[in-house]
Amino acid sequence: MALSDTEVQKQIQHMMAFIEQEAKEKADEIDAKAEEEFNIEKSRLVQQEKLKILGYYEKKEKQIELQRKIQHSNMLNQSRLTILKERENLIRNIMEETRAKLGLATKDQEKYKTLLQGLITQGLFQLLEKTVIVRCRQVDLKLIKEVIGDAVKDYKSASKKDIIVNVDIKEFLGSEISGGVELVTPSGNIKISNTLESRLESLYRQMLPEIRTALFGANEGRRFTD
């Protein structure tokens, strides 16, 4: 039985509605899938950028920490150098104060005469020459002449050697010298300085480790002494 125009029209509308519904559902499905893919890609990009940012700041943090350690090390080294410098200045000041008081050693003439005799005898043993010239301060010339004989006698007795010792009466030690003597060979090529200043300097070098320990305590990090 043939369909009427009305029925055909209804069938066509029904088919069009079905096609539209199917197209709408397909479009919704495509939109949902696109939305899902977009969110996944967005999440991936966000995570990627987040990792980049974290990596950047982690690198910066390490650089800052390295700079902090370097600055700390530099400050520590500078502090150590400052302490060492201040310690050396203190020791040097003590040395200078002691040097300034060397003149007191000449006040007691009898003790100073004994000291001069010992310094001359010691110098003779250091030189071990047949002829020696003794040079002193002009103010000490009288004392030197008084002790020179005993000094030579001590040397000859201990060394079993003859020696000629002359006192220089033309050239004297400078005014900056607090006391003591110098011994020279006639040619002037060899000289032994046994002035109070030179003896103090020699003693200072020998006792420097003990002086440091006495002032600042033992250095646990030092394996060898000076």
Side-chain angles (χ1 to χ4, degrees):
M1 180 171 111
L3 296 175
S4 65
D5 291 341
T6 301
E7 290 175 335
V8 170
Q9 189 66 30
K10 286 181 178 181
Q11 286 288 338
I12 291 172
Q13 290 176 351
H14 179 72
M15 290 177 63
M16 288 178 64
F18 176 78
I19 291 170
E20 286 178 0
Q21 181 63 31
E22 190 176 57
K24 184 177 181 301
E25 290 177 355
K26 192 67 175 177
D28 290 343
E29 182 182 344
I30 291 172
D31 287 342
K33 188 172 182 180
E35 180 72 16
E36 181 184 1
E37 290 178 350
F38 169 76
N39 288 331
I40 291 173
E41 181 64 14
K42 181 176 72 173
S43 177
R44 186 187 70 80
L45 291 174
V46 169
Q47 184 65 18
Q48 181 178 340
E49 290 303 314
K50 182 179 178 181
L51 290 175
K52 283 183 180 180
I53 293 172
L54 288 175
Y56 171 79
Y57 282 104
E58 184 178 355
K59 183 178 179 181
K60 281 292 182 183
E61 186 177 356
K62 288 181 179 179
Q63 290 176 344
I64 292 172
E65 179 64 17
L66 179 61
Q67 282 294 108
R68 189 191 68 79
K69 288 181 178 179
I70 292 174
Q71 289 176 356
H72 177 72
S73 177
N74 289 339
M75 290 177 63
L76 187 60
N77 289 335
Q78 188 63 40
S79 177
R80 286 173 178 167
L81 290 174
T82 300
I83 291 173
L84 288 175
K85 183 178 179 181
E86 289 302 318
R87 286 182 174 183
E88 291 305 314
N89 286 340
L90 176 59
I91 292 174
R92 179 54 61 180
N93 287 339
I94 293 174
M95 173 72 172
E96 292 303 323
E97 289 176 7
T98 305
R99 190 192 304 275
K101 296 176 181 179
L102 283 177
L104 297 177
T106 66
K107 297 299 182 183
D108 189 324
Q109 292 288 284
E110 290 303 315
K111 289 183 178 180
Y112 184 47
K113 279 174 62 176
T114 302
L115 176 61
L116 287 173
Q117 180 178 330
L119 291 175
I120 293 171
T121 303
Q122 183 186 58
L124 296 178
F125 278 107
Q126 288 175 285
L127 282 175
L128 292 175
E129 295 287 330
K130 294 181 179 181
T131 303
V132 174
I133 298 172
V134 175
R135 190 170 294 145
C136 64
R137 300 186 305 167
Q138 189 169 7
V139 69
D140 291 336
L141 184 58
K142 181 176 180 296
L143 294 178
I144 293 296
K145 289 181 177 181
E146 290 177 6
V147 301
I148 195 75
D150 289 335
V152 172
K153 182 179 178 181
D154 291 342
Y155 172 79
K156 287 182 177 181
S157 176
S159 67
K160 310 301 181 185
K161 295 180 179 180
D162 287 329
I163 189 171
I164 298 173
V165 179
N166 298 314
V167 180
D168 194 338
I169 59 174
K170 293 183 179 179
E171 184 177 348
F172 297 97
L173 299 180
S175 59
E176 74 281 0
I177 301 299
S178 300
V181 294
E182 283 184 355
L183 295 90
V184 297
T185 57
S187 64
N189 293 331
I190 306 175
K191 179 175 73 173
I192 298 296
S193 179
N194 265 353
T195 63
L196 297 184
E197 281 76 10
S198 63
R199 298 304 301 160
L200 175 63
E201 188 67 33
S202 177
L203 185 64
Y204 165 76
R205 288 195 299 269
Q206 292 175 18
M207 294 191 64
L208 186 56
E210 289 85 349
I211 294 172
R212 285 180 176 145
T213 300
L215 290 174
F216 313 118
N219 186 348
E220 297 179 359
R222 177 173 297 185
R223 297 178 60 187
F224 305 99
T225 58
D226 291 345

